[in-house]
Amino acid sequence: MIKKICLVTLLGFGSLAIANEARDIAQGVYDRDDGKTIIQDMKMILIDKNSNQRIREIKTFGKDFGKDDYRIMFFKSPADVKDTAFLTYDYDDASKDDDQWLYLPALKKVKRIPTSDKSSSFMGSDFSYYDMTKRSVDDYTYKILKHTKVRGHDTTMLESLPVNEDVIEESGYVKTIGLVREDIDMVVRSIGFMKNGDRKYLDITKMHKQNGVWVVDEMVMTTKQGKATVHKTILQFENIQVNKPINDDVFSTRRLEKGL
């Protein structure tokens, strides 16, 4: 009996150590150096199930404010979305909801994105408003599923489960499986299991290192129902500048209305 109790205890500590290791990997992803600032041109390519494409040109700026992360996007073309702008305040404090605003030029109005809408599509893409922010580590529990390779690099397959229904309602995800590149703490592929039964497949297809920081050149998000592709979004980044000074006043709702 004593041996059995000891074995159970050891197994318990072993499970705890594995759980801690999984959380440490998630924390490493969250803490990864992605630059103090970033400026880039983004091309958003929207592809429907019939392979029809729509292309949107966007200028984006990002800056760290202490532990918080602010980002702003200005749509440059086509005409039907030109001058639309989007601002995110991504707070490090997990108890504080991130703030997001969208400026719609047709209405000449800045709209605040409520928490209840954050799982909805961002500008017709396969990314949601929630996807435009960093996930709080404390909002999920983690489990290492296995180690494998992606494009020749060692990765850890990490399962993330929301800690409660509030996180599911805000994110739209009931589970996520991510592949984290072990040498750079970066998620390079993931599958998001949606509460409506759809799955979203993310693939970082191109990246490079600039000024010591790994940045993404291209990523693809594909939404599927079963094996059928519903929609796909390709994001391509050019003219990337890392750690170049940006004035703080760029990241304001007033600037949303003013534009580039």
Side-chain angles (χ1 to χ4, degrees):
M1 177 63 76
I2 292 174
K3 287 183 178 178
K4 188 174 182 180
I5 292 172
C6 289
L7 178 60
V8 170
T9 302
L10 286 172
L11 287 173
F13 280 125
S15 299
L16 180 60
I18 292 171
N20 287 341
E21 182 184 355
R23 194 184 190 285
D24 287 345
I25 292 171
Q27 189 68 55
V29 172
Y30 185 87
D31 292 337
R32 182 181 72 85
D33 181 10
D34 56 0
K36 298 297 182 187
T37 67
I38 189 165
I39 303 170
Q40 53 195 348
D41 293 319
M42 184 170 81
K43 181 181 289 184
M44 176 186 285
I45 305 170
L46 308 174
I47 307 171
D48 68 18
K49 61 183 179 182
N50 297 316
S51 300
N52 298 312
Q53 293 190 12
R54 289 178 294 157
I55 298 176
R56 294 171 172 176
E57 304 279 350
I58 304 160
K59 187 78 175 181
T60 82
F61 301 83
K63 184 173 185 176
D64 291 347
F65 286 74
K67 292 184 177 181
D68 301 330
D69 184 14
Y70 292 5
R71 290 184 181 272
I72 192 165
M73 301 180 176
F74 299 98
F75 285 71
K76 300 190 297 181
S77 68
D80 63 332
V81 294
K82 188 176 185 300
D83 296 329
T84 298
F86 176 66
L87 174 65
T88 291
Y89 288 178
D90 193 349
Y91 302 116
D92 178 71
D93 185 349
S95 65
K96 192 174 179 181
D97 286 340
D98 296 332
D99 286 317
Q100 294 180 318
W101 298 269
L102 185 68
Y103 174 69
L104 299 169
L107 301 177
K108 299 186 183 304
K109 183 177 181 182
V110 174
K111 172 189 175 186
R112 189 185 187 91
I113 307 298
T115 300
S116 57
D117 285 353
K118 289 186 177 177
S119 63
S120 58
S121 169
F122 172 65
M123 296 298 290
S125 75
D126 294 84
F127 295 86
S128 66
Y129 290 100
Y130 183 84
D131 293 330
M132 309 307 288
T133 63
K134 295 172 74 172
R135 294 186 178 191
S136 171
V137 175
D138 292 337
D139 280 347
Y140 295 86
T141 60
Y142 303 94
K143 180 181 177 183
I144 295 173
L145 299 182
K146 65 177 182 179
H147 298 276
T148 186
K149 288 184 180 290
V150 174
R151 297 187 177 93
H153 298 284
D154 292 329
T155 63
T156 301
M157 183 179 287
L158 196 66
E159 178 186 82
S160 307
L161 297 176
V163 295
N164 55 44
E165 286 295 324
D166 289 343
V167 178
I168 293 174
E169 286 303 311
E170 180 181 356
S171 68
Y173 294 105
V174 295
K175 181 174 73 174
T176 303
I177 294 177
L179 286 154
V180 181
R181 222 176 100 170
E182 295 172 0
D183 58 334
I184 57 176
D185 295 326
M186 193 167 176
V187 175
V188 292
R189 280 183 183 162
S190 70
I191 306 173
F193 296 77
M194 310 299 295
K195 63 181 181 181
N196 65 0
D198 290 354
R199 294 184 182 185
K200 296 206 297 190
Y201 295 79
L202 176 68
D203 190 10
I204 307 298
T205 50
K206 295 179 185 174
M207 65 177 83
H208 74 277
K209 197 173 187 179
Q210 184 178 132
N211 297 333
V213 176
W214 282 93
V215 294
V216 175
D217 297 298
E218 182 180 89
M219 66 171 74
V220 181
M221 182 78 96
T222 305
T223 303
K224 292 194 173 189
Q225 290 176 347
K227 294 183 179 179
T229 296
V230 177
H231 199 269
K232 180 186 291 186
T233 300
I234 302 172
L235 299 182
Q236 296 174 337
F237 301 90
E238 294 181 336
N239 303 318
I240 302 170
Q241 301 173 74
V242 176
N243 293 332
K244 182 180 179 180
I246 308 174
N247 289 332
D248 290 354
D249 60 10
V250 169
F251 304 90
S252 66
T253 53
R254 179 178 299 178
R255 189 58 185 265
L256 280 178
E257 299 179 69
K258 184 178 179 182
L260 277 173

